[in-house]
Amino acid sequence: MTKRYDAVIIGAGHNGLVCAFYLARAGLKVRLVERRSVVGGAAVTEEFHPGFRNSVASYTVSLLQPQVIRDMKLEDEGYRVIERPISNFLPQEDGGYLKLGGGLERTQAEFRRFSEHDARVLPDYYDTLDAVADVLRDLAMQSPPNIGDGLKTLIDGARQGRRLARLSVERQRDVLDLFTKSARTMLDSWFESEAVKAAFGFDAVVGNYASPDTPGSAYVLLHHVFGEVNGKKGAWGHSVGGMGSITQAMARVVTALGVEISLDAPVDQVLVDGGRVAGVRLESGEEVVADRVISNVGPKLLFEKLVDASDLTDEYRRRVKGFKIGSGTFRMNVALAELPRFTCLPELGEHHQSGIIIAPTLDYMDRAFTDAKLHGWSKKPIVEMLIPSTVDDSLAPKGQHVASLFCQQFAPELPDGRDWDVEEGKAADTIIDTVEAYAPGFRASILGTQILSPKGLERKFGLAGGDIMHGNMSLDQLWSARPVLGNGAYRGPIKGLYMCGAGTHPGGGVTGAPGHNCAREVLADNSFIGRLLRRG
């Protein structure tokens, strides 16, 4: 007799694991099918050079929702995050540097070296950012109002709009600024120092194939500050054991609840019968029968590869085709014989435990994007280096280190028909040269590397276009319109099909919010009233 599941989830990344947890806790029979031989999606820790381990793609913690951490009791499974002593360290082109973080007074003192004005307005800037980020924190764990749900759309819209309506007019203006303006326009209205603007503007291009001059890039900045670490808003930190320690802990929790996890089980097709999903067929030929199919893969992969075109309307296929992807991201992991020594601050110190940002000005970031559009990658790319082995000795041999290099801007597809598999070594050399210019001797200290171009990220993790966000975080692809207006509340266009990945609200990052919210919608539909409302 064929085994039947209440739900089959495609992809055992962190959102798939979170979704499985809430469904299994409610008593549903759940099976996770994962194409790779390990759970975790892009949040995994792997050995990439003998004796050296690191977070392969996702590499730092802040956005994982406290409710998810509490509900899954991840701390009982060893979840532990070490906060950065300062947020970021930015070497400057003139030989100076700027440190961001470590408390308000300390950051103000640092800013005074660049601008008395910027130090003075910093508290007001933080208050503004935090007030708007609080709106995002509130909305992150709520399902967007779904266009087409009649009275429910109006009720959900009014309920979620209440928080915005309670804000002062000044704060509502701030919300509008942060959702629509470019990062440069927004930061120019606050600060005068180019170094200070770069310190905040970097967040606007993380996972965003765009210039800080692009309208809407201010929102991407905001998206990266609505998280928290150990109760501290906006803080970032390192997960001991790497990002894979988080997803491995999640896997243990869901397995204990009876969730079945199948590895090396890529999906060939979502099965549809009579206008309703019937399960999935794996590439092995096995058919997994389920009442619901929940996709943790991106919308592009789901609707262009796994769902048969005949099961979608022409209009929906056109909308998916227009869904914008490509985060412009290039990832490297580097084994080091020693810590890099920066010309501007050669001694070893707290800056090695922070985010080391090579992007000294907004103009630098703009040129990086322009270069990538013209040539495929930046002549001087934007690089964030983290060295987690400075706080976690489980990642590298004693006295040696691992570094994550998160790099922007690299075209999802190279111009002139060039292939990333051929060109990635040249791009990696450009990245190393960029770091070398600020930390002489860096190249000589490298013992081994792991290189993931946009194409490599797609091949390894199933990220269409190498997009770490599963889709651009632009205003037309947020909230109720993520991924498509009318399917913005985690339900797909086929009955019984749901979506729980970063291609849904609130978007990219290791948040767990899409998985949590999707599970809530599945359970709502599974209730007696939900079945009545959605019958037929």
Side-chain angles (χ1 to χ4, degrees), residues 275-435:
R276 183 178 183 86
V277 298
V280 299
R281 182 172 61 245
L282 305 182
E283 289 184 5
S284 66
E286 179 188 357
E287 292 191 355
V288 182
V289 179
D291 296 328
R292 303 159 190 84
V293 173
I294 303 172
S295 171
N296 188 33
V297 302
K300 280 283 193 183
L301 178 57
L302 173 63
F303 294 115
E304 293 186 346
K305 299 291 179 63
L306 303 185
V307 174
D308 191 277
S310 64
D311 293 317
L312 300 170
T313 65
D314 291 343
E315 162 69 7
Y316 202 86
R317 289 200 302 272
R318 184 178 69 82
R319 291 290 177 181
V320 170
K321 183 178 180 181
F323 185 75
K324 297 176 295 184
I325 60 170
S327 59
T329 303
F330 194 107
R331 277 287 281 118
M332 291 182 66
N333 292 293
V334 183
L336 298 173
E338 60 183 1
L339 288 173
R341 292 182 180 270
F342 295 87
T343 303
C344 61
L345 194 59
E347 62 268 23
L348 304 182
E350 64 183 2
H351 55 296
H352 287 94
Q353 299 175 11
S354 73
I356 300 164
I357 311 298
I358 298 178
T361 65
L362 296 180
D363 283 344
Y364 181 105
M365 300 179 208
D366 178 55
R367 285 193 299 270
F369 176 60
T370 302
D371 277 354
K373 287 179 67 179
L374 292 174
H375 309 294
W377 66 82
S378 316
K379 297 173 185 176
K380 293 183 178 180
I382 300 163
V383 180
E384 179 180 21
M385 179 192 298
L386 293 185
I387 312 174
S389 51
T390 56
V391 295
D392 184 352
D393 60 11
S394 73
L395 301 178
K398 187 174 182 180
Q400 298 178 321
H401 291 278
V402 294
S404 297
L405 303 183
F406 178 90
C407 314
Q408 298 278 142
Q409 303 282 358
F410 296 79
E413 294 185 3
L414 292 174
D416 305 321
R418 290 178 291 150
D419 190 333
W420 268 121
D421 286 343
V422 176
E423 302 287 340
E424 67 178 12
K426 297 175 186 176
D429 282 340
T430 301
I431 292 165
I432 293 169
D433 287 344
T434 300
V435 178

Side-chain angles (χ1 to χ4, degrees), residues 410-492:
F410 296 79
E413 294 185 3
L414 292 174
D416 305 321
R418 290 178 291 150
D419 190 333
W420 268 121
D421 286 343
V422 176
E423 302 287 340
E424 67 178 12
K426 297 175 186 176
D429 282 340
T430 301
I431 292 165
I432 293 169
D433 287 344
T434 300
V435 178
E436 179 80 13
Y438 291 88
F442 177 74
R443 180 182 288 278
S445 72
I446 294 175
L447 302 173
T449 62
Q450 181 183 40
I451 300 171
L452 290 168
S453 69
K455 184 177 180 180
L457 287 167
E458 177 168 354
R459 181 167 50 232
K460 188 175 181 71
F461 297 111
L463 300 170
D467 195 328
I468 62 171
M469 304 290 193
H470 285 196
N472 293 176
M473 299 286 288
S474 51
L475 189 60
D476 59 318
Q477 294 187 177
L478 294 177
W479 203 40
S480 293
R482 190 169 184 87
V484 175
L485 198 66
N487 295 109
Y490 311 99
R491 298 174 184 86

Side-chain angles (χ1 to χ4, degrees), residues 108 111-112 114-123 190-197:
Q108 284 182 293
F111 280 15
R112 286 191 186 96
F114 296 85
S115 165
E116 179 63 39
H117 168 273
D118 291 358
R120 187 173 64 253
V121 302
L122 182 62
W190 281 97
F191 304 110
E192 59 185 19
S193 164
E194 293 304 316
V196 168
K197 285 185 276 190

Side-chain angles (χ1 to χ4, degrees), residues 9-312:
I9 300 176
I10 305 172
H14 82 281
N15 275 312
L17 291 163
V18 170
C19 187
F21 164 76
Y22 286 104
L23 297 181
R25 190 178 69 169
L28 272 63
K29 184 186 298 183
V30 181
R31 182 171 171 183
L32 273 160
V33 290
E34 167 59 45
R35 63 185 285 269
R36 301 189 69 218
S37 59
V38 61
V39 301
V44 290
T45 305
E46 295 178 3
E47 184 176 75
F48 66 94
H49 186 72
F52 293 83
R53 302 165 58 245
N54 203 15
S55 303
V56 179
S58 300
Y59 61 102
T60 189
V61 183
S62 175
L63 304 179
L64 186 59
Q65 293 295 296
Q67 183 178 336
V68 171
I69 297 170
R70 288 192 303 269
D71 288 349
M72 296 188 77
K73 298 181 180 178
L74 294 181
E75 290 180 352
D76 292 349
E77 294 292 332
Y79 174 79
R80 180 180 168 222
V81 177
I82 300 173
E83 300 165 40
R84 301 178 190 177
I86 57 173
S87 302
N88 291 328
F89 162 67
L90 288 85
Q92 294 296 298
E93 291 175 306
D94 63 2
Y97 65 86
L98 182 148
K99 292 181 180 180
L100 178 68
L104 175 61
E105 291 182 0
R106 185 176 175 188
T107 303
Q108 284 182 293
E110 185 76 3
F111 280 15
R112 286 191 186 96
R113 299 195 297 110
F114 296 85
S115 165
E116 179 63 39
H117 168 273
D118 291 358
R120 187 173 64 253
V121 302
L122 182 62
D124 288 341
Y125 175 77
Y126 278 158
D127 286 347
T128 297
L129 212 60
D130 196 47
V132 181
D134 275 343
V135 174
L136 283 191
R137 292 183 184 107
D138 184 51
L139 292 178
M141 297 293 273
Q142 299 184 42
S143 300
N146 195 53
I147 303 301
D149 281 354
L151 182 61
K152 187 176 185 300
T153 302
L154 297 177
I155 294 172
D156 289 346
R159 178 169 48 82
Q160 295 185 29
R162 203 180 311 144
R163 177 68 182 268
L164 284 172
R166 286 199 298 262
L167 295 176
S168 67
V169 172
E170 291 76 16
R171 283 291 182 253
Q172 290 185 42
R173 290 171 181 156
D174 294 331
V175 171
L176 181 64
D177 286 349
L178 282 159
F179 271 75
T180 61
K181 288 185 176 181
S182 73
R184 188 191 297 268
T185 300
M186 192 272 293
L187 291 168
D188 278 349
S189 72
W190 281 97
F191 304 110
E192 59 185 19
S193 164
E194 293 304 316
V196 168
K197 285 185 276 190
F200 293 120
F202 167 73
D203 281 335
V205 298
V206 172
N208 188 21
Y209 187 48
S211 163
D213 294 330
T214 303
S217 55
Y219 172 77
V220 182
L221 181 159
L222 181 67
H223 182 81
H224 285 93
V225 300
F226 81 84
E228 62 180 73
V229 167
N230 301 332
K232 295 183 180 179
K233 291 181 179 179
W236 289 83
H238 168 72
S239 173
V240 175
M243 297 299 287
S245 66
I246 299 175
T247 49
Q248 288 294 323
M250 289 178 170
R252 291 193 294 273
V253 171
V254 302
T255 301
L257 287 172
V259 173
E260 296 180 32
I261 300 177
S262 300
L263 303 176
D264 298 308
V267 171
D268 176 60
Q269 188 176 340
V270 173
L271 301 175
V272 179
D273 183 16
R276 183 178 183 86
V277 298
V280 299
R281 182 172 61 245
L282 305 182
E283 289 184 5
S284 66
E286 179 188 357
E287 292 191 355
V288 182
V289 179
D291 296 328
R292 303 159 190 84
V293 173
I294 303 172
S295 171
N296 188 33
V297 302
K300 280 283 193 183
L301 178 57
L302 173 63
F303 294 115
E304 293 186 346
K305 299 291 179 63
L306 303 185
V307 174
D308 191 277
S310 64
D311 293 317
L312 300 170

